[in-house]
Amino acid sequence: MNLIEILMMPGIGMIFGAIPVEDLMRRKNRFEPLTRKQHYGALIVHAGLAMLSAFIGMMIFGTFSAAAIGAAMTTLFSAFNPFARFRHTGIGSAFGAALAVSPFPIILFALMYATGYGVLGKKHAIGMMSGILGTMLLAPTTPHTILKAVEFIPFRDITEHSVFIIGLGLTIFVKYLPDIRIVVLDAMKEHYSDED
């Protein structure tokens, strides 16, 4: 990793992440709410922008770290986009970033989401937290040979792969904290109302 890579890739990621895709679609729809199909289309566009950022990093610098920094910064700025008044979830960008760089965390997230959703109460927020936390905890401990078998962009050691996954996970975790807080408060209300 060199200084030009450290300075250039976050900027590229910021540019792609700062595009307010949903707002542009709403403007085209005369500010009507997005349909489900349009919402999924926006998620696909966000995923494509994160993948594009990763591919630019790979083409210019040819390293995992460049691709990972660009994709992770796209996710960060998509989730916390001031131009979109911080309304985007960032999940589309995180999916695109992982798909471009290393798809194994997507499989791990899906398994953890299904487990949390099925076992802990059939609520989306609980499934998301299970998926995020499970992926951040299990990805760094996954055997190197498994990660190497499913990588798209080769990484030098497990540390840079782990930092990438934890960075993506923390971004989505912070974004979903208000949802999980609501679920926890509802569970506490139910618990105390049952005791009365």
Side-chain angles (χ1 to χ4, degrees):
M1 188 183 301
N2 59 42
L3 184 61
I4 298 171
E5 181 181 322
I6 293 170
L7 295 173
M8 184 176 170
M9 289 316 299
I12 290 171
M14 285 182 214
I15 290 167
F16 286 130
I19 297 171
V21 176
E22 283 92 340
D23 288 348
L24 294 173
M25 292 173 81
R26 280 191 195 97
R27 183 172 291 167
K28 188 177 177 184
N29 282 357
R30 297 182 182 148
F31 298 99
E32 292 289 324
L34 296 180
T35 64
R36 184 178 292 268
K37 185 177 178 183
Q38 290 172 324
H39 178 69
Y40 287 127
L43 289 176
I44 290 168
V45 171
H46 283 297
L49 290 170
M51 293 173 81
L52 183 60
S53 180
F55 291 144
I56 288 172
M58 190 62 193
M59 288 174 66
I60 294 173
F61 297 103
T63 62
F64 177 91
S65 57
I69 290 169
M73 289 304 287
T74 301
T75 301
L76 180 68
F77 272 79
S78 176
F80 300 100
N81 187 349
F83 302 111
R85 293 177 290 250
F86 304 98
R87 289 182 306 206
H88 299 166
T89 60
I91 199 73
S93 292
F95 179 79
L99 189 62
V101 177
S102 176
F104 179 75
I106 296 172
I107 299 164
L108 202 55
F109 175 83
L111 291 171
M112 295 292 102
Y113 178 92
T115 303
Y117 184 84
V119 174
L120 299 175
K122 298 198 182 329
K123 294 190 177 173
H124 176 67
I126 293 174
M128 286 299 293
M129 285 300 142
S130 301
I132 293 164
L133 293 174
T135 303
M136 285 196 302
L137 291 172
L138 294 175
T141 59
T142 303
H144 198 263
T145 52
I146 293 174
L147 294 175
K148 282 287 188 185
V150 293
E151 70 182 1
F152 286 153
I153 298 174
F155 54 91
R156 285 188 295 269
D157 65 53
I158 195 81
T159 306
E160 62 183 3
H161 185 273
S162 299
V163 168
F164 168 67
I165 297 305
I166 291 169
L168 282 182
L170 284 174
T171 300
I172 304 302
F173 179 81
V174 171
K175 193 66 181 179
Y176 273 88
L177 270 178
D179 293 344
I180 198 67
R181 192 175 296 136
I182 290 167
V183 171
V184 169
L185 288 173
D186 288 346
M188 288 174 66
K189 285 178 189 172
E190 283 179 26
H191 176 71
Y192 289 119
S193 65
D194 288 346
E195 285 184 353
D196 296 340

